Coordinates of all heavy atoms in Angstrom, one line a residue:
V1 N 44.7 -56.1 -29.2 CA 46.0 -56.2 -30.0 C 45.8 -55.4 -31.3 O 44.7 -55.2 -31.7 CB 46.4 -57.6 -30.2 CG1 45.5 -58.3 -31.2 CG2 47.8 -57.7 -30.7
R2 N 46.9 -54.8 -31.8 CA 46.7 -54.0 -33.0 C 47.9 -54.3 -33.9 O 48.9 -54.8 -33.6 CB 46.6 -52.6 -32.7 CG 47.9 -52.0 -32.1 CD 47.7 -50.6 -31.6 NE 48.9 -50.2 -30.9 CZ 49.6 -49.1 -31.1 NH1 49.2 -48.2 -32.0 NH2 50.6 -48.8 -30.4
G3 N 47.7 -53.9 -35.2 CA 48.8 -53.9 -36.2 C 48.6 -52.8 -37.1 O 47.5 -52.4 -37.5
N4 N 49.7 -52.1 -37.4 CA 49.7 -50.9 -38.2 C 50.5 -51.1 -39.5 O 51.5 -51.8 -39.5 CB 50.3 -49.7 -37.5 CG 49.5 -49.3 -36.3 OD1 48.3 -49.1 -36.4 ND2 50.2 -49.2 -35.1
S5 N 50.1 -50.4 -40.6 CA 50.8 -50.4 -41.8 C 50.6 -49.1 -42.5 O 49.4 -48.7 -42.6 CB 50.4 -51.6 -42.7 OG 51.2 -51.6 -43.9
V6 N 51.6 -48.5 -43.1 CA 51.5 -47.3 -43.9 C 52.2 -47.6 -45.2 O 53.3 -48.0 -45.2 CB 52.0 -46.1 -43.2 CG1 51.9 -44.9 -44.1 CG2 51.4 -45.9 -41.8
R7 N 51.5 -47.3 -46.3 CA 52.2 -47.5 -47.6 C 51.8 -46.3 -48.5 O 50.8 -45.6 -48.3 CB 51.7 -48.7 -48.3 CG 52.2 -50.0 -47.6 CD 51.8 -51.2 -48.3 NE 52.2 -52.4 -47.6 CZ 52.8 -53.4 -48.1 NH1 52.9 -53.5 -49.4 NH2 53.1 -54.4 -47.3
A8 N 52.7 -46.0 -49.5 CA 52.5 -44.9 -50.4 C 52.7 -45.4 -51.8 O 53.6 -46.3 -52.0 CB 53.4 -43.7 -50.0
L9 N 52.1 -44.8 -52.7 CA 52.4 -45.0 -54.1 C 53.7 -44.4 -54.4 O 54.0 -43.3 -54.0 CB 51.3 -44.3 -55.1 CG 50.0 -45.0 -55.2 CD1 49.0 -44.2 -56.0 CD2 50.2 -46.4 -55.9
G10 N 54.5 -45.1 -55.2 CA 55.8 -44.5 -55.6 C 55.6 -43.5 -56.7 O 54.5 -43.3 -57.3
V11 N 56.7 -42.8 -57.1 CA 56.6 -41.8 -58.1 C 56.1 -42.4 -59.4 O 55.4 -41.8 -60.2 CB 58.0 -41.2 -58.3 CG1 58.0 -40.2 -59.5 CG2 58.4 -40.5 -57.1
K12 N 56.5 -43.7 -59.7 CA 56.1 -44.4 -60.9 C 54.7 -45.0 -60.8 O 54.2 -45.5 -61.8 CB 57.1 -45.5 -61.2 CG 58.5 -45.0 -61.5 CD 59.4 -46.1 -61.9 CE 60.8 -45.6 -62.2 NZ 61.7 -46.7 -62.6
G13 N 54.1 -45.0 -59.6 CA 52.8 -45.5 -59.4 C 51.7 -44.6 -60.1 O 51.5 -43.5 -59.7
A14 N 51.2 -45.1 -61.1 CA 50.2 -44.4 -61.9 C 48.8 -45.0 -61.7 O 48.7 -46.2 -61.4 CB 50.5 -44.3 -63.4
F15 N 47.8 -44.3 -61.8 CA 46.4 -44.8 -61.7 C 46.1 -45.6 -62.9 O 46.3 -45.2 -64.1 CB 45.4 -43.7 -61.6 CG 45.5 -42.9 -60.3 CD1 46.0 -41.6 -60.3 CD2 45.2 -43.5 -59.1 CE1 46.1 -40.9 -59.1 CE2 45.3 -42.8 -57.9 CZ 45.7 -41.5 -57.9
T16 N 45.6 -46.8 -62.7 CA 45.2 -47.7 -63.8 C 43.7 -48.0 -63.6 O 43.3 -48.6 -62.7 CB 46.0 -49.0 -63.8 OG1 47.4 -48.7 -63.8 CG2 45.7 -49.9 -65.0
F17 N 42.9 -47.5 -64.6 CA 41.5 -47.7 -64.5 C 41.1 -49.1 -65.0 O 41.6 -49.4 -66.1 CB 40.8 -46.6 -65.2 CG 41.0 -45.3 -64.6 CD1 42.0 -44.4 -65.0 CD2 40.2 -44.9 -63.5 CE1 42.2 -43.2 -64.4 CE2 40.4 -43.6 -62.9 CZ 41.4 -42.8 -63.3
T18 N 40.3 -49.8 -64.3 CA 39.8 -51.0 -64.8 C 38.6 -50.8 -65.8 O 37.9 -49.8 -65.6 CB 39.3 -52.0 -63.7 OG1 38.3 -51.3 -63.0 CG2 40.5 -52.3 -62.8
G19 N 38.4 -51.6 -66.7 CA 37.3 -51.5 -67.6 C 35.9 -51.7 -67.0 O 35.8 -52.6 -66.2
G20 N 35.0 -50.9 -67.3 CA 33.6 -51.1 -66.9 C 33.3 -50.7 -65.5 O 32.4 -49.9 -65.3
G21 N 34.0 -51.2 -64.5 CA 33.6 -50.9 -63.1 C 34.0 -49.5 -62.6 O 33.5 -49.1 -61.6
G22 N 35.0 -48.9 -63.2 CA 35.4 -47.6 -62.8 C 36.4 -47.7 -61.6 O 36.7 -46.6 -61.0
G23 N 36.9 -48.8 -61.2 CA 37.8 -49.0 -60.1 C 39.2 -48.5 -60.5 O 39.5 -48.5 -61.6
I24 N 40.0 -48.2 -59.5 CA 41.4 -47.8 -59.7 C 42.2 -49.0 -59.2 O 42.4 -49.1 -58.0 CB 41.7 -46.5 -59.0 CG1 40.7 -45.4 -59.5 CG2 43.1 -46.1 -59.3 CD1 40.8 -44.1 -58.7
S25 N 42.7 -49.8 -60.1 CA 43.3 -51.0 -59.6 C 44.6 -50.8 -58.8 O 44.9 -51.5 -57.9 CB 43.6 -52.0 -60.8 OG 44.6 -51.4 -61.7
T26 N 45.4 -49.8 -59.2 CA 46.6 -49.5 -58.4 C 46.3 -49.1 -57.0 O 46.9 -49.6 -56.0 CB 47.4 -48.4 -59.1 OG1 47.7 -48.7 -60.4 CG2 48.7 -48.1 -58.3
M27 N 45.2 -48.3 -56.7 CA 44.8 -47.9 -55.4 C 44.2 -49.1 -54.7 O 44.4 -49.3 -53.5 CB 43.8 -46.8 -55.4 CG 44.5 -45.5 -55.9 SD 45.8 -44.9 -54.9 CE 44.9 -44.4 -53.4
T28 N 43.5 -50.0 -55.4 CA 42.9 -51.2 -54.8 C 44.0 -52.1 -54.3 O 44.0 -52.6 -53.2 CB 42.0 -51.9 -55.8 OG1 41.0 -51.0 -56.2 CG2 41.4 -53.2 -55.2
E29 N 45.1 -52.3 -55.1 CA 46.2 -53.1 -54.8 C 46.9 -52.5 -53.6 O 47.4 -53.3 -52.7 CB 47.1 -53.3 -55.9 CG 46.6 -54.1 -57.1 CD 47.4 -54.1 -58.3 OE1 48.5 -53.5 -58.3 OE2 46.9 -54.6 -59.4
L30 N 47.1 -51.2 -53.5 CA 47.8 -50.5 -52.4 C 47.0 -50.8 -51.1 O 47.5 -51.1 -50.1 CB 47.9 -49.1 -52.7 CG 48.5 -48.2 -51.6 CD1 50.0 -48.6 -51.3 CD2 48.4 -46.7 -51.9
H31 N 45.7 -50.6 -51.2 CA 44.8 -50.8 -50.0 C 44.9 -52.2 -49.5 O 45.0 -52.4 -48.3 CB 43.4 -50.4 -50.3 CG 42.4 -50.7 -49.2 ND1 42.4 -50.0 -48.1 CD2 41.6 -51.7 -49.1 CE1 41.5 -50.5 -47.3 NE2 41.0 -51.5 -47.9
E32 N 44.8 -53.1 -50.4 CA 44.8 -54.6 -50.0 C 46.1 -55.0 -49.4 O 46.1 -55.6 -48.4 CB 44.5 -55.4 -51.2 CG 44.3 -56.9 -50.9 CD 43.8 -57.7 -52.0 OE1 42.9 -57.2 -52.8 OE2 44.2 -58.9 -52.1
A33 N 47.2 -54.5 -50.0 CA 48.5 -54.9 -49.5 C 48.7 -54.2 -48.1 O 49.3 -54.9 -47.2 CB 49.6 -54.4 -50.4
T34 N 48.2 -53.0 -47.9 CA 48.4 -52.3 -46.6 C 47.6 -53.0 -45.6 O 48.0 -53.2 -44.4 CB 48.0 -50.9 -46.8 OG1 48.7 -50.3 -47.8 CG2 48.2 -50.1 -45.5
Q35 N 46.3 -53.4 -45.9 CA 45.5 -54.1 -45.0 C 46.1 -55.5 -44.6 O 46.1 -55.9 -43.4 CB 44.1 -54.3 -45.5 CG 43.1 -55.0 -44.5 CD 41.7 -54.9 -44.9 OE1 41.3 -54.0 -45.6 NE2 40.9 -55.8 -44.4
Q36 N 46.6 -56.2 -45.6 CA 47.2 -57.5 -45.3 C 48.4 -57.4 -44.4 O 48.6 -58.2 -43.5 CB 47.6 -58.2 -46.6 CG 46.4 -58.7 -47.4 CD 46.8 -59.3 -48.7 OE1 48.0 -59.2 -49.1 NE2 45.9 -59.9 -49.4
E37 N 49.2 -56.3 -44.6 CA 50.3 -56.1 -43.7 C 49.9 -55.8 -42.3 O 50.5 -56.3 -41.3 CB 51.2 -55.0 -44.3 CG 52.4 -54.6 -43.4 CD 53.5 -55.7 -43.3 OE1 53.4 -56.7 -44.0 OE2 54.3 -55.6 -42.4
A38 N 48.9 -55.0 -42.1 CA 48.4 -54.6 -40.8 C 47.8 -55.9 -40.1 O 48.1 -56.1 -38.9 CB 47.3 -53.6 -40.9
E39 N 47.2 -56.7 -40.8 CA 46.6 -58.0 -40.3 C 47.8 -58.9 -39.8 O 47.7 -59.5 -38.8 CB 45.8 -58.7 -41.3 CG 45.1 -60.0 -40.8 CD 44.2 -60.6 -41.8 OE1 43.9 -60.0 -42.8 OE2 43.8 -61.8 -41.6
R40 N 48.8 -59.0 -40.7 CA 50.0 -59.8 -40.4 C 50.6 -59.4 -39.1 O 51.0 -60.1 -38.2 CB 51.0 -59.8 -41.5 CG 52.1 -60.8 -41.3 CD 53.2 -60.6 -42.4 NE 53.9 -59.4 -42.3 CZ 54.9 -59.2 -41.5 NH1 55.2 -60.1 -40.6 NH2 55.5 -58.0 -41.4
V41 N 50.8 -58.0 -38.9 CA 51.5 -57.5 -37.8 C 50.6 -57.7 -36.5 O 51.1 -58.1 -35.4 CB 51.7 -56.0 -37.9 CG1 52.2 -55.3 -36.6 CG2 52.8 -55.8 -39.0
M42 N 49.3 -57.6 -36.7 CA 48.3 -57.8 -35.6 C 48.4 -59.3 -35.1 O 48.5 -59.5 -33.9 CB 46.9 -57.5 -36.0 CG 45.9 -57.7 -34.9 SD 44.2 -57.2 -35.4 CE 44.0 -58.2 -36.9
V43 N 48.5 -60.2 -36.0 CA 48.5 -61.6 -35.7 C 49.9 -61.9 -35.0 O 49.9 -62.7 -34.0 CB 48.3 -62.5 -36.9 CG1 48.7 -64.0 -36.6 CG2 46.9 -62.4 -37.4
L44 N 51.0 -61.4 -35.5 CA 52.3 -61.5 -34.8 C 52.3 -61.0 -33.4 O 52.8 -61.6 -32.5 CB 53.4 -60.9 -35.6 CG 53.8 -61.6 -36.9 CD1 54.8 -60.8 -37.7 CD2 54.4 -63.0 -36.6
N45 N 51.7 -59.8 -33.2 CA 51.6 -59.2 -31.9 C 50.7 -60.1 -30.9 O 51.1 -60.3 -29.8 CB 51.0 -57.8 -31.9 CG 52.0 -56.8 -32.5 OD1 53.2 -57.0 -32.6 ND2 51.4 -55.7 -33.0
A46 N 49.7 -60.6 -31.5 CA 48.8 -61.5 -30.7 C 49.6 -62.8 -30.3 O 49.5 -63.2 -29.1 CB 47.5 -61.9 -31.4
S47 N 50.3 -63.3 -31.2 CA 51.1 -64.5 -30.9 C 52.2 -64.2 -29.9 O 52.4 -65.1 -29.0 CB 51.8 -65.0 -32.2 OG 52.6 -66.1 -32.0
D48 N 52.8 -63.1 -29.9 CA 53.8 -62.7 -28.9 C 53.2 -62.6 -27.5 O 53.9 -62.8 -26.5 CB 54.4 -61.3 -29.3 CG 55.4 -61.4 -30.5 OD1 55.8 -62.5 -30.9 OD2 55.7 -60.3 -31.0
L49 N 51.9 -62.3 -27.5 CA 51.2 -62.2 -26.2 C 50.7 -63.6 -25.7 O 50.1 -63.7 -24.7 CB 50.0 -61.3 -26.3 CG 50.4 -59.8 -26.5 CD1 49.1 -59.0 -26.8 CD2 51.1 -59.3 -25.3
G50 N 50.9 -64.6 -26.5 CA 50.5 -66.0 -26.2 C 49.0 -66.3 -26.6 O 48.5 -67.3 -26.1
A51 N 48.5 -65.5 -27.4 CA 47.1 -65.7 -27.9 C 47.0 -66.8 -29.0 O 48.0 -66.9 -29.8 CB 46.5 -64.4 -28.4
D52 N 45.9 -67.4 -29.0 CA 45.6 -68.4 -30.1 C 44.7 -67.9 -31.2 O 44.6 -68.4 -32.2 CB 44.9 -69.7 -29.5 CG 45.8 -70.4 -28.5 OD1 47.0 -70.5 -28.7 OD2 45.2 -70.8 -27.4
A53 N 44.0 -66.8 -30.9 CA 43.1 -66.2 -31.8 C 42.9 -64.7 -31.6 O 43.2 -64.2 -30.5 CB 41.7 -66.9 -31.6
V54 N 42.4 -64.1 -32.6 CA 42.0 -62.6 -32.5 C 40.6 -62.6 -32.9 O 40.2 -63.0 -34.0 CB 42.9 -61.7 -33.4 CG1 42.5 -60.3 -33.2 CG2 44.4 -61.9 -33.0
T55 N 39.7 -62.0 -32.1 CA 38.3 -61.9 -32.4 C 37.9 -60.5 -32.5 O 38.7 -59.6 -32.1 CB 37.4 -62.6 -31.4 OG1 37.7 -62.0 -30.1 CG2 37.8 -64.1 -31.3
A56 N 36.7 -60.2 -33.0 CA 36.2 -58.9 -33.1 C 37.1 -57.9 -33.8 O 37.4 -56.8 -33.4 CB 35.8 -58.3 -31.7
V57 N 37.7 -58.4 -34.9 CA 38.7 -57.6 -35.7 C 38.0 -56.5 -36.4 O 37.0 -56.6 -37.0 CB 39.4 -58.5 -36.6 CG1 40.4 -57.7 -37.5 CG2 40.2 -59.6 -35.9
R58 N 38.6 -55.3 -36.4 CA 38.2 -54.1 -37.1 C 39.4 -53.5 -37.8 O 40.5 -53.6 -37.3 CB 37.6 -53.1 -36.1 CG 36.4 -53.6 -35.3 CD 35.2 -52.9 -35.8 NE 34.1 -53.0 -34.9 CZ 33.2 -54.0 -34.8 NH1 33.4 -55.0 -35.7 NH2 32.2 -54.0 -34.0
F59 N 39.2 -52.8 -38.8 CA 40.2 -52.1 -39.5 C 39.8 -50.6 -39.6 O 38.7 -50.3 -40.0 CB 40.5 -52.7 -40.9 CG 41.1 -54.0 -40.9 CD1 40.3 -55.2 -41.0 CD2 42.5 -54.1 -40.8 CE1 40.9 -56.4 -40.9 CE2 43.1 -55.4 -40.7 CZ 42.3 -56.5 -40.8
Q60 N 40.8 -49.7 -39.4 CA 40.6 -48.3 -39.5 C 41.5 -47.9 -40.7 O 42.7 -48.1 -40.6 CB 40.9 -47.6 -38.2 CG 40.7 -46.1 -38.3 CD 41.0 -45.4 -37.0 OE1 41.2 -46.0 -36.0 NE2 41.1 -44.1 -37.1
V61 N 40.9 -47.2 -41.7 CA 41.7 -46.8 -42.8 C 41.7 -45.3 -42.9 O 40.7 -44.6 -42.8 CB 41.1 -47.4 -44.1 CG1 41.9 -46.9 -45.3 CG2 41.0 -48.9 -44.1
V62 N 42.9 -44.7 -43.1 CA 43.1 -43.3 -43.2 C 43.9 -43.0 -44.4 O 44.9 -43.7 -44.7 CB 43.8 -42.7 -42.0 CG1 44.0 -41.2 -42.1 CG2 43.0 -43.0 -40.7
A63 N 43.4 -42.1 -45.3 CA 44.2 -41.7 -46.4 C 44.5 -40.2 -46.3 O 43.7 -39.4 -46.8 CB 43.4 -42.0 -47.7
P64 N 45.5 -39.9 -45.5 CA 45.8 -38.4 -45.2 C 46.1 -37.6 -46.4 O 46.0 -36.4 -46.4 CB 46.9 -38.5 -44.2 CG 47.6 -39.8 -44.4 CD 46.5 -40.7 -44.9
S65 N 46.6 -38.2 -47.5 CA 46.9 -37.5 -48.7 C 46.8 -38.5 -49.9 O 46.8 -39.7 -49.7 CB 48.3 -36.8 -48.6 OG 49.3 -37.8 -48.5
A66 N 46.8 -37.9 -51.1 CA 46.7 -38.7 -52.3 C 47.9 -39.7 -52.3 O 49.0 -39.3 -52.2 CB 46.7 -37.9 -53.5
G67 N 47.5 -41.0 -52.5 CA 48.5 -42.0 -52.7 C 49.1 -42.5 -51.4 O 50.1 -43.3 -51.4
L68 N 48.6 -42.1 -50.2 CA 49.1 -42.6 -48.9 C 48.0 -43.3 -48.2 O 46.9 -42.7 -48.0 CB 49.7 -41.4 -48.1 CG 50.3 -41.7 -46.8 CD1 51.6 -42.6 -47.0 CD2 50.6 -40.5 -46.0
Y69 N 48.2 -44.5 -47.7 CA 47.2 -45.2 -47.0 C 47.8 -45.7 -45.6 O 48.9 -46.1 -45.6 CB 46.9 -46.5 -47.7 CG 45.6 -46.4 -48.5 CD1 45.5 -45.7 -49.7 CD2 44.5 -47.1 -48.1 CE1 44.3 -45.6 -50.4 CE2 43.3 -47.0 -48.8 CZ 43.2 -46.3 -49.9 OH 42.1 -46.2 -50.6
S70 N 47.0 -45.5 -44.6 CA 47.4 -46.0 -43.3 C 46.3 -46.9 -42.8 O 45.1 -46.5 -42.8 CB 47.6 -44.8 -42.3 OG 47.7 -45.3 -41.0
V71 N 46.6 -48.1 -42.4 CA 45.6 -49.0 -42.0 C 46.0 -49.5 -40.6 O 47.2 -49.9 -40.4 CB 45.5 -50.2 -42.9 CG1 44.5 -51.3 -42.3 CG2 45.0 -49.8 -44.3
M72 N 45.1 -49.5 -39.7 CA 45.3 -50.1 -38.3 C 44.2 -51.1 -38.1 O 43.0 -50.9 -38.3 CB 45.2 -49.0 -37.2 CG 45.4 -49.7 -35.8 SD 45.4 -48.5 -34.5 CE 43.7 -48.0 -34.4
G73 N 44.7 -52.3 -37.9 CA 43.8 -53.4 -37.5 C 43.8 -53.6 -36.0 O 44.9 -53.5 -35.4
Y74 N 42.7 -53.9 -35.4 CA 42.7 -54.2 -34.0 C 41.6 -55.2 -33.6 O 40.6 -55.3 -34.3 CB 42.5 -52.9 -33.2 CG 41.3 -52.0 -33.5 CD1 40.2 -52.2 -32.7 CD2 41.3 -51.2 -34.6 CE1 39.0 -51.4 -33.0 CE2 40.2 -50.4 -34.8 CZ 39.1 -50.5 -34.1 OH 38.0 -49.8 -34.4
G75 N 41.8 -55.9 -32.6 CA 40.9 -56.9 -32.1 C 41.2 -57.4 -30.7 O 42.2 -56.9 -30.1
T76 N 40.4 -58.3 -30.3 CA 40.6 -58.9 -28.9 C 41.4 -60.2 -29.0 O 41.0 -61.1 -29.8 CB 39.2 -59.2 -28.3 OG1 38.5 -57.9 -28.3 CG2 39.3 -59.7 -26.9
T77 N 42.4 -60.3 -28.2 CA 43.2 -61.6 -28.2 C 42.5 -62.6 -27.3 O 41.8 -62.3 -26.4 CB 44.6 -61.4 -27.7 OG1 44.5 -60.8 -26.4 CG2 45.4 -60.5 -28.6
E78 N 42.6 -63.9 -27.7 CA 41.9 -64.9 -27.0 C 42.9 -66.1 -26.8 O 43.7 -66.4 -27.7 CB 40.7 -65.5 -27.8 CG 39.6 -64.4 -28.1 CD 38.8 -64.1 -26.9 OE1 38.8 -64.8 -25.9 OE2 38.1 -63.0 -27.0
K79 N 42.8 -66.7 -25.7 CA 43.5 -68.0 -25.4 C 42.5 -69.1 -25.5 O 41.5 -69.1 -24.7 CB 44.2 -67.9 -24.1 CG 45.1 -69.1 -23.8 CD 46.3 -69.2 -24.7 CE 47.1 -70.4 -24.3 NZ 48.2 -70.6 -25.2
V80 N 42.6 -70.0 -26.4 CA 41.6 -71.1 -26.6 C 42.0 -72.2 -25.7 O 43.2 -72.7 -25.7 CB 41.6 -71.5 -28.1 CG1 40.6 -72.6 -28.3 CG2 41.2 -70.3 -29.0
H81 N 41.0 -72.8 -25.0 CA 41.2 -73.9 -24.1 C 40.3 -75.1 -24.6 O 39.1 -74.8 -24.9 CB 40.9 -73.6 -22.7 CG 41.7 -72.5 -22.1 ND1 43.0 -72.7 -21.7 CD2 41.4 -71.2 -21.9 CE1 43.5 -71.6 -21.2 NE2 42.5 -70.6 -21.3
P82 N 40.8 -76.3 -24.7 CA 40.0 -77.4 -25.2 C 38.8 -77.6 -24.1 O 39.0 -77.4 -23.0 CB 40.9 -78.6 -25.2 CG 42.2 -78.2 -24.6 CD 42.2 -76.7 -24.4
V83 N 37.7 -78.0 -24.7 CA 36.5 -78.3 -23.8 C 36.5 -79.8 -23.6 O 36.6 -80.6 -24.5 CB 35.2 -77.8 -24.5 CG1 34.0 -78.2 -23.7 CG2 35.3 -76.3 -24.7
D84 N 36.4 -80.2 -22.3 CA 36.2 -81.6 -22.0 C 34.8 -82.0 -22.5 O 33.8 -81.4 -22.2 CB 36.3 -81.8 -20.5 CG 36.5 -83.2 -20.1 OD1 36.4 -84.1 -21.0 OD2 36.7 -83.5 -18.9
K85 N 34.8 -83.2 -23.2 CA 33.5 -83.6 -23.8 C 32.4 -83.8 -22.8 O 31.3 -83.6 -23.0 CB 33.7 -84.9 -24.6 CG 34.5 -84.7 -25.8 CD 34.6 -86.0 -26.6 CE 35.5 -85.8 -27.9 NZ 35.5 -87.0 -28.7
K86 N 32.8 -84.2 -21.5 CA 31.7 -84.4 -20.5 C 31.2 -83.0 -20.0 O 30.1 -83.0 -19.5 CB 32.3 -85.2 -19.3 CG 33.4 -84.4 -18.6 CD 33.8 -85.3 -17.4 CE 34.9 -84.5 -16.6 NZ 35.5 -85.3 -15.6
D87 N 31.9 -81.9 -20.3 CA 31.4 -80.6 -19.9 C 30.6 -79.9 -21.0 O 29.9 -78.9 -20.8 CB 32.6 -79.7 -19.5 CG 33.3 -80.2 -18.2 OD1 32.6 -80.8 -17.4 OD2 34.4 -79.8 -18.1
A88 N 30.7 -80.5 -22.2 CA 30.0 -79.8 -23.4 C 28.5 -80.1 -23.4 O 28.0 -80.9 -22.8 CB 30.6 -80.4 -24.7

């Protein structure tokens, strides 16, 4: 199952540098929001297929141009069945 999300910085989106670490907080927020959206879509797709879980999850990140992020999350859907205690 997979989930895709593409986001871009707006015209007003400026780079904000964090103190000390050298990170770019606006880009970090963009990446995190994009990954969370891809994960949400992936989970919804898995649920639509009747799955109870998604395992072996991976994320592929592409930044084709400055300020544009594309994230695809993918994994294996699983249907969980209760185990009878006598079989455990």
Side-chain angles (χ1 to χ4, degrees):
V1 68
R2 66 185 172 133
N4 295 310
S5 180
V6 178
R7 292 185 182 221
L9 283 174
V11 175
K12 294 181 181 180
F15 293 110
T16 305
F17 294 95
T18 59
I24 303 172
S25 64
T26 302
M27 292 301 289
T28 301
E29 291 168 9
L30 175 67
H31 173 74
E32 187 170 324
T34 307
Q35 183 169 333
Q36 287 175 354
E37 177 66 12
E39 183 178 348
R40 186 186 71 77
V41 172
M42 180 177 57
V43 169
L44 286 173
N45 289 339
S47 179
D48 288 346
L49 293 171
D52 297 318
V54 180
T55 60
V57 173
R58 302 249 197 271
F59 290 95
Q60 179 178 349
V61 179
V62 178
S65 64
L68 183 65
Y69 260 73
S70 173
V71 176
M72 180 175 68
Y74 56 97
T76 303
T77 58
E78 302 285 345
K79 183 68 176 172
V80 180
H81 300 283
V83 175
D84 191 355
K85 289 183 181 183
K86 66 180 179 184
D87 293 334

